[in-house]
Amino acid sequence: MENDASEAVGSFSIIVDGVLWFFANIGLSVYNFFYAITHPSLWLDWSNKEAIMRFVYYGGSVEFFFVVLTAFLIVFAVGLWRNEFLWGCVRALEGFANTVGRFFAWAGLLMVIQQIVIVFMQRIFTRPDISIGFGIPLQFDISWFAEELKLYNAMVVCLCMAYTFVQGGHVRVDLVYSAVAFRTKKVIDMFGAVFFMMPVAVMIWLYGWFFLWRHLIVPNPSASDTLDRLLLKSRALRWNVETIGFSPNGFNGYFLFKILLCAFTAMVFLQAVAMFFRSYLEWKEGPESENKYLDRDSLGEGEEAYEGTH
């Protein structure tokens, strides 16, 4: 009995400590945010090696997570009071996703055109390289341009993901969704945004952030490094951008894929926020607000069946 009582007290103490830690970090996040924007030289002056390491540390830190979480909670709290403010946030976030997606969707066309040029240069003109530009042209081996096609594909996948979500183009595995009431659907959407999209985006960000910087600088930073340890490493810091290709004359800008991975997770997280806000507002205002302010592309009259996946 005494052991059970002591275990219960210990478990309760852990829970209390966890709650206190959470709210303490929520409070500190406000201070951390304003301190960061009022002291930009500490983390944006990249002529200073310590500033680079601070940037690396805070990009994947608990402090940054709570700054984002607190901002989300504050915006949502204001939105509970002023629904139009929350609708404005939804329109801004979805507009951002649409703008980025519509722009980088052209990378698919560019990829096709470049592949055609490669085939012509290889099979018809039998050239070993391609030169683009005037004066001082950009000249690389054909194998470089052939491997670089993967970058266009990565742009479409990473930077058009949120755009496709707004357009309703992702496949939905529907087991119960279509059969439930409107407001139940909105609750499911809110739950999915908070407990599926956001956590997955955060986990990929934490992996991708340090994965990126390990291919940009040495000594290699680690997710387990404290700020003090990274500042010590900064004494030996130097840029070591990854330029290794899969073939001797192949594409050598693979660090760009790591940047795209971080951009992808950031856009997915922002879209999860937009989905949560929209679902809450539609749940509150009812079926008449469904798809309110939603900016979806149209193929024209009579082509509705091909627009998105339903």
Side-chain angles (χ1 to χ4, degrees):
M1 292 294 291
E2 291 181 359
N3 289 337
D4 292 341
S6 62
E7 289 178 1
V9 170
S11 299
F12 179 75
S13 176
I14 292 173
I15 294 173
V16 171
D17 290 342
V19 172
L20 293 175
W21 173 83
F22 177 83
F23 284 104
N25 278 283
I26 289 288
L28 285 172
S29 65
V30 178
Y31 168 79
N32 290 334
F33 173 75
F34 284 105
Y35 188 84
I37 63 175
T38 54
H39 298 77
S41 61
L42 290 178
W43 54 287
L44 288 180
D45 180 14
W46 286 13
S47 61
N48 184 348
K49 295 180 179 180
E50 289 189 356
I52 297 175
M53 279 304 191
R54 285 194 184 93
F55 186 85
V56 173
Y57 170 79
Y58 285 117
S61 66
V62 173
E63 291 87 346
F64 180 59
F65 171 80
F66 275 98
V67 166
V68 175
L69 176 60
T70 303
F72 168 77
L73 294 175
I74 291 174
V75 171
F76 184 56
V78 175
L80 293 176
W81 172 52
R82 301 282 294 182
N83 285 356
E84 284 306 315
F85 170 77
L86 211 55
W87 275 121
C89 293
V90 171
R91 295 178 69 181
L93 291 171
E94 291 182 346
F96 174 71
N98 278 336
T99 301
V100 173
R102 286 165 179 160
F103 178 81
F104 283 99
W106 289 100
L109 176 61
L110 187 60
M111 178 169 56
V112 173
I113 293 174
Q114 184 167 310
Q115 181 63 76
I116 294 172
V117 171
I118 290 171
V119 172
F120 267 79
M121 296 300 289
Q122 279 185 319
R123 303 303 178 187
I124 297 178
F125 299 103
T126 62
R127 288 285 302 173
D129 54 23
I130 298 176
S131 179
I132 301 174
F134 302 96
I136 303 177
L138 180 68
Q139 184 171 355
F140 289 105
D141 192 88
I142 282 183
S143 62
W144 188 94
F145 285 98
E147 289 186 17
E148 192 240 353
L149 292 173
K150 292 181 286 187
L151 180 62
Y152 299 135
N153 187 62
M155 287 180 179
V156 173
V157 172
C158 294
L159 301 177
C160 297
M161 183 74 71
Y163 162 69
T164 307
F165 192 97
V166 174
Q167 299 298 319
H170 288 296
V171 176
R172 180 190 292 271
V173 179
D174 187 358
L175 300 178
V176 297
Y177 190 84
S178 61
V180 299
F182 176 81
R183 282 191 165 87
T184 305
K185 291 179 181 179
K186 300 301 117 179
V187 172
I188 293 173
D189 288 339
M190 286 188 282
F191 181 87
V194 172
F195 292 99
F196 289 98
M197 287 182 71
M198 289 184 185
V200 169
V202 169
M203 292 302 296
I204 297 176
W205 173 271
L206 291 176
Y207 171 80
W209 180 256
F210 290 100
F211 183 57
L212 164 65
W213 284 98
R214 282 198 296 270
H215 292 85
L216 293 180
I217 61 175
V218 289
N220 291 334
S222 172
S224 60
D225 285 339
T226 63
L227 178 58
D228 291 337
R229 181 170 176 79
L230 287 176
L231 291 178
L232 287 175
K233 285 185 176 182
S234 69
R235 298 175 182 176
L237 184 144
R238 62 182 176 85
W239 290 97
N240 186 38
V241 179
E242 178 189 35
T243 57
I244 300 174
F246 287 107
S247 60
N249 296 318
F251 181 66
N252 56 357
Y254 281 96
F255 70 94
L256 295 173
F257 290 91
K258 283 80 173 180
I259 296 175
L260 285 174
L261 177 61
C262 292
F264 158 75
T265 54
M267 294 196 66
V268 168
F269 185 88
L270 291 175
Q271 184 54 41
V273 172
M275 179 184 178
F276 178 83
F277 289 165
R278 171 175 285 280
S279 299
Y280 165 75
L281 290 166
E282 291 181 352
W283 170 84
K284 183 179 180 180
E285 297 180 4
E288 63 276 5
S289 67
E290 186 176 16
N291 295 334
K292 185 177 178 180
Y293 300 125
L294 187 60
D295 178 19
R296 282 186 173 171
D297 298 335
S298 176
L299 298 175
E301 187 176 355
E303 301 294 331
E304 292 82 2
Y306 301 98
E307 296 172 6
T309 303
H310 304 283

